[in-house]
Amino acid sequence: MKLIMAIIKPFKLDDVREALTALGVQGLTATEVKGFGRQKGQTEVYRGAEYSVSFLPKVKIEVVVPADMAASTVEAIQKAGNTGRIGDGKIFVLDVAQAMRIRTGETDADAL
């Protein structure tokens, strides 16, 4: 299993969710976060307002998928989250040793 963590622009969340749903991903976690990357110190437009601050609003998406779905999931996030402008975000892929559904006790792939 793989944990795919993506940091994207907030207005791309619905596009990414739709792309993942079309792939068969059954669930994800989204968190509002703030951060900066290479665009630090540059002006960014967010919801019609200009920001020239160190931290910009982002959304972190976390999804666990079977290892054989990792590449297609990363590709779907990249395509749906891309605006072609600085600050589009990053995608990280990590190994998951174990997963368990709390309600039923199912483990690993059955817990997804």
Side-chain angles (χ1 to χ4, degrees), residues 53-101:
V53 295
S54 297
F55 293 98
L56 296 171
K58 302 288 181 179
V59 171
K60 178 168 72 169
I61 297 171
E62 296 170 299
V63 59
V64 178
V65 296
D68 62 343
M69 283 184 64
S72 58
T73 302
V74 167
E75 183 180 352
I77 294 170
Q78 191 275 326
K79 286 182 179 178
N82 183 19
T83 68
R85 297 185 11 226
I86 193 165
D88 274 352
K90 298 271 192 295
I91 301 173
F92 305 98
V93 180
L94 298 90
D95 290 322
V96 174
Q98 182 180 9
M100 177 183 282
R101 185 184 313 269

Side-chain angles (χ1 to χ4, degrees), residues 28-44:
L28 64 83
T29 300
T31 311
E32 292 181 6
V33 296
K34 291 183 180 184
F36 69 89
R38 291 184 180 169
Q39 82 272 28
K40 66 180 178 183
Q42 295 185 10
T43 301
E44 178 77 12

